[in-house]
Amino acid sequence: MAKSTIVIPNYNGIKYIEACLDSIYGGTTADVEVIMVDNASTDGSLSLVEEKFPQVRIIRNSENTGFSVAVNQGIKASLTPYVILLNNDTRVDKTFVREMERILDEDKKNKVFSAAARLISLYDKEKTDDAGDFYCAFGWAFARGKGKDPSRYEKNVQIFAACAGAAIYRRALLSAEEVGLFDEEHFAYLEDIDIGYRARIRGYRNQFAAKSVVYHAGSATSGSRYNVFKTRLAARNSVYLIYKNMPFLQIILNLPFFAAGFFIKTLFFAKKGLGGAYVSGLVNGIRLSLSQNGKLHKQKFCVKRLGNYIQIQFELWMNLFRLLNG
């Protein structure tokens, strides 16, 4: 019986989806379930999968619901102990699933919430795309090892959160009584940092699975690394992420760092002609945080988790140095 279900959100992914599924079924990973959640694609990718991969379970949406809604649909439809999220613009190594499962299998106390694959650039295999995600006191999330030699990241280490482009999750911990599902207010971007953050608050860990290798094209859905849609949405979510996961005193403690971080990002995006999109995103983030929906998702402070909050805070400071050193 399959131990894992791979959930692939798809939106107009005809350029990549066939190679992605071929890599899954062509390796040693054929004993997994695969669910593709299609967000109203119009490019023929849905028909292609139906014709060439009839073994794939398909969930069809009548509109583009965004990443978070789509993967939540797949998670709810899964029955296996583990759920693997995988972007459609990827190709996986033959041992991808086995090495991901190994991380959770070897955790006998069930304290590992998720594990992230080693993402390598599909178009330049001498460069790392993501070797685990981190979050720092500037209010920035960043990928460890971005653009660097993949051979530098061959050890399993603890990370802040797993990049949901290729990550495994313990399905039992995605219940409402534990960490919960992905926050659908995010639509896309930073939803994986958020769920990893929530797991950390509850005392769980997130790991990097160095031997689980995935080749990633990147920005296949949004179209480019920097654009108005992505810039505005990521800026909005960066504010919302802070509001919902940090107690008030922790926000005050980090306020000077946040001010510096948002100022630097404003200058950065202004140079790219996206300053207005970034600032409007920040404003939208404040509005979302103060809205009824935002308040409903606010993580309630619990004294018994004080030690977890303190540990996280020290990591936010230490990750400022990790940001500089890769």
Side-chain angles (χ1 to χ4, degrees), residues 269-302:
F269 284 109
K271 289 183 178 180
K272 294 185 175 296
L274 294 167
Y278 180 74
V279 172
S280 68
L282 297 180
V283 173
N284 289 340
I286 294 172
R287 289 173 177 165
L288 173 58
S289 300
L290 297 178
S291 71
Q292 190 61 36
N293 283 344
K295 291 177 181 178
L296 284 173
H297 288 91
K298 175 74 173 175
Q299 299 298 295
K300 294 181 180 178
F301 176 76
C302 182

Side-chain angles (χ1 to χ4, degrees), residues 8 13-26 48-49 52-53 86-92 122 215:
I8 304 174
I14 196 166
K15 182 178 178 181
Y16 301 101
I17 191 65
E18 184 174 1
C20 175
L21 291 170
D22 275 337
S23 71
I24 293 172
Y25 290 116
L48 182 151
V49 174
K52 295 191 174 183
F53 302 94
L86 185 67
N87 279 5
N88 61 3
D89 61 339
T90 58
R91 297 177 193 175
V92 303
L122 179 64
Y215 301 96

Side-chain angles (χ1 to χ4, degrees), residues 141-160:
F142 61 96
R144 184 175 72 124
K146 186 79 171 179
K148 298 186 178 180
D149 185 348
S151 65
R152 295 178 56 180
Y153 306 98
E154 295 183 340
K155 293 183 179 179
N156 296 344
V157 296
Q158 185 169 326
I159 55 179
F160 190 86

Side-chain angles (χ1 to χ4, degrees), residues 185-228:
E185 292 295 334
H186 279 271
F187 188 84
Y189 306 120
L190 298 180
E191 71 290 318
D192 45 9
I193 299 295
D194 170 66
I195 201 169
Y197 199 141
R198 284 188 275 134
R200 295 295 310 280
I201 290 172
R202 286 160 179 77
Y204 295 108
R205 303 192 309 275
N206 301 297
Q207 295 287 128
F208 173 59
K211 293 181 180 179
S212 182
V213 177
V214 175
Y215 301 96
H216 183 219
S219 301
T221 299
S222 62
S224 62
R225 187 174 180 183
Y226 301 113
N227 56 64
V228 171

Side-chain angles (χ1 to χ4, degrees), residues 63-325:
E63 62 181 2
N64 185 0
T65 64
F67 180 88
S68 296
V69 171
V71 297
N72 282 348
Q73 289 175 302
I75 291 167
K76 291 174 185 176
S78 67
L79 299 172
T80 53
Y82 304 151
V83 178
I84 296 172
L85 302 188
L86 185 67
N87 279 5
N88 61 3
D89 61 339
T90 58
R91 297 177 193 175
V92 303
D93 188 75
K94 290 184 178 181
T95 58
F96 161 68
V97 171
R98 186 170 71 238
E99 293 299 335
M100 295 277 265
E101 292 176 342
R102 190 193 305 276
I103 298 293
L104 300 190
D105 287 344
E106 293 177 352
D107 171 40
K108 302 305 181 183
K109 295 183 178 180
N110 293 346
K111 296 301 290 183
V112 175
F113 171 65
S114 71
R118 180 159 53 127
L119 289 169
I120 296 173
S121 173
L122 179 64
Y123 300 119
D124 186 351
K125 294 181 175 58
E126 299 301 314
K127 290 184 179 180
T128 300
D129 188 62
D130 191 305
D133 284 352
F134 288 88
Y135 187 64
C136 71
F138 279 159
W140 298 356
F142 61 96
R144 184 175 72 124
K146 186 79 171 179
K148 298 186 178 180
D149 185 348
S151 65
R152 295 178 56 180
Y153 306 98
E154 295 183 340
K155 293 183 179 179
N156 296 344
V157 296
Q158 185 169 326
I159 55 179
F160 190 86
C163 171
I168 190 169
Y169 298 85
R170 203 179 294 276
R171 192 168 65 90
L173 297 183
L174 294 168
S175 67
E177 295 75 26
E178 292 289 347
V179 179
L181 292 168
F182 285 82
D183 185 346
E184 296 178 3
E185 292 295 334
H186 279 271
F187 188 84
Y189 306 120
L190 298 180
E191 71 290 318
D192 45 9
I193 299 295
D194 170 66
I195 201 169
Y197 199 141
R198 284 188 275 134
R200 295 295 310 280
I201 290 172
R202 286 160 179 77
Y204 295 108
R205 303 192 309 275
N206 301 297
Q207 295 287 128
F208 173 59
K211 293 181 180 179
S212 182
V213 177
V214 175
Y215 301 96
H216 183 219
S219 301
T221 299
S222 62
S224 62
R225 187 174 180 183
Y226 301 113
N227 56 64
V228 171
F229 172 79
K230 182 175 181 179
T231 299
R232 184 179 291 127
L233 195 54
R236 184 198 72 152
N237 292 346
S238 67
V239 174
Y240 178 53
L241 179 70
I242 292 167
Y243 163 78
K244 68 172 292 189
N245 291 301
M246 288 190 182
F248 178 72
L249 289 179
Q250 190 178 17
I251 293 175
I252 297 300
L253 177 65
N254 287 289
L255 203 55
F257 295 98
F258 294 149
F262 290 138
F263 178 71
I264 293 170
K265 280 285 184 80
T266 300
L267 294 179
F268 173 83
F269 284 109
K271 289 183 178 180
K272 294 185 175 296
L274 294 167
Y278 180 74
V279 172
S280 68
L282 297 180
V283 173
N284 289 340
I286 294 172
R287 289 173 177 165
L288 173 58
S289 300
L290 297 178
S291 71
Q292 190 61 36
N293 283 344
K295 291 177 181 178
L296 284 173
H297 288 91
K298 175 74 173 175
Q299 299 298 295
K300 294 181 180 178
F301 176 76
C302 182
V303 174
K304 70 178 183 180
R305 295 172 180 158
L306 180 61
N308 298 336
Y309 280 105
I310 292 173
Q311 181 177 347
I312 288 170
Q313 182 56 52
F314 276 109
E315 287 186 31
L316 298 186
W317 285 330
M318 291 301 297
N319 287 343
L320 293 172
F321 298 98
R322 183 176 272 118
L323 174 65
L324 298 176
N325 297 322

